[in-house]
Amino acid sequence: MASFFHSWSFSLFLIVLTSAMFIGKSMAVGYGKARVPTVFRPSQWSLAHATFYGDETARETMGGACGYGNLFQTGYGTNTAALSTTLFNNGYACGTCYQIKCTNAPACYGVITTVTATNICPPNWSQDSNNGGWCNPPRVHFDMSKPAFMKIAQWKAGIVPVMYRRVPCARTGGLRFKLQGNGYWLLVYVMNVGGGGDIASMWVKGSKTGWISMSHNWGASYQAFASLRGQALSFKITSYTTKQTVIALNVAPSTWGAGMTYKSTVNFS
């Protein structure tokens, strides 16, 4: 009887051990990786040029093609830049962050500053790409706010060569959603995006609907043609760079209104 008991116990131990090893291996190969968020890493340093627009107040940088509005109120401040179309990527680069350092010019301070992309620097085909048409494709160019430019170089230089790299966006708090539209059309501006700072795709879910795919409008805005008035809203967002997806549940109450901004508790890594 004792011999049978010990034999049965040993067999059970082997079954449990084998199962644990199989599960652990499965987690490492598939499920475990899927549950680990993709963290955005800095890119390599590259060469470009930088100019500035506006004055020391940065008033001219308010608004912009990304749709962030008053940059002081939305948390971006004066550390911002307009990107040439080569970098802007039809608005998908809105919210991305870059470290910029002036290099190989007498006007350089040797200081690195970090900016957020909030605007586009459009081409100027009436001027040569090397003499005024700084943002003409395929040039990689940063048209910085004047306060940001003054951190890296003497502003009287006008244009300076720079080294730049994309870096993770350090944000405080969760994603923010500014709503526009009406009872049949919802337009959402997504702000305070961490990690890669960018968005590839987005969905909205009302308290009475399933997930509805939203289309990219322009800049940092996405739209859905659906009747969502009177419903609490949730959002699902996928990063353009890392492909990480986060879900912000019940961000806006059923009483949401156009022009209002709602904060979530989730963000990208």
Side-chain angles (χ1 to χ4, degrees):
M1 187 71 177
S3 176
F4 172 79
F5 176 78
H6 287 301
S7 177
W8 179 84
S9 298
F10 182 71
S11 299
L12 179 61
F13 169 75
L14 287 177
I15 293 172
V16 172
L17 179 62
T18 303
S19 299
M21 292 175 64
F22 175 78
I23 292 171
K25 185 176 180 180
S26 298
M27 289 291 288
V29 172
Y31 298 106
K33 286 186 177 180
R35 293 179 182 178
V36 177
T38 303
V39 178
F40 181 77
R41 305 295 184 187
S43 67
Q44 298 296 314
W45 289 96
S46 301
L47 285 168
H49 285 80
T51 50
F52 68 88
Y53 67 113
D55 59 20
E56 287 87 345
T57 66
R59 287 176 298 185
E60 288 82 356
T61 67
M62 299 297 113
C66 291
Y68 294 135
N70 187 310
L71 299 178
F72 293 108
Q73 294 178 0
T74 51
Y76 296 104
T78 60
N79 287 336
T80 62
L83 307 182
S84 60
T85 54
T86 301
L87 288 174
F88 193 67
N89 192 22
N90 292 320
Y92 286 105
C94 284
T96 52
C97 298
Y98 300 84
Q99 284 184 338
I100 301 177
K101 178 183 179 180
C102 179
T103 183
N104 297 325
C108 295
Y109 291 147
V111 175
I112 297 174
T113 192
T114 303
V115 297
T116 300
T118 60
N119 204 352
I120 185 174
C121 181
N124 183 356
W125 297 114
S126 66
Q127 294 184 305
D128 186 89
S129 296
N130 295 312
N131 186 21
W134 310 123
C135 292
N136 294 348
R139 289 182 65 101
V140 176
H141 192 86
F142 296 87
D143 199 17
M144 306 169 69
S145 73
K146 190 173 183 180
F149 186 90
M150 292 172 65
K151 292 180 180 179
I152 65 168
Q154 301 172 25
W155 68 268
K156 290 184 179 180
I159 181 171
V160 292
V162 297
M163 296 290 291
Y164 78 95
R165 67 173 181 170
R166 267 193 70 184
V167 294
C169 295
R171 304 297 183 210
T172 301
L175 300 169
R176 300 173 191 164
F177 304 88
K178 183 177 180 179
L179 309 186
Q180 296 289 356
N182 51 48
Y184 303 96
W185 172 65
L186 178 68
L187 182 67
V188 182
Y189 292 90
V190 188
M191 300 173 288
N192 201 52
V193 182
D198 50 13
I199 297 172
S201 51
M202 185 170 171
W203 297 260
V204 61
K205 181 181 181 300
S207 51
K208 301 177 183 178
T209 73
W211 287 106
I212 300 169
S213 179
M214 305 183 75
S215 60
H216 184 220
N217 182 283
W218 180 249
S221 65
Y222 285 75
Q223 62 186 359
F225 294 91
S227 180
L228 295 167
R229 184 70 73 187
Q231 299 182 53
L233 302 181
S234 300
F235 297 101
K236 181 166 61 173
I237 311 98
T238 298
S239 167
Y240 190 93
T241 304
T242 68
K243 310 307 179 188
Q244 180 187 359
T245 297
V246 295
I247 298 176
L249 293 173
N250 299 318
V251 175
S254 59
T255 55
W256 63 267
M260 298 297 292
T261 299
Y262 299 94
K263 299 179 181 179
S264 74
T265 57
V266 299
N267 214 324
F268 293 117
S269 304

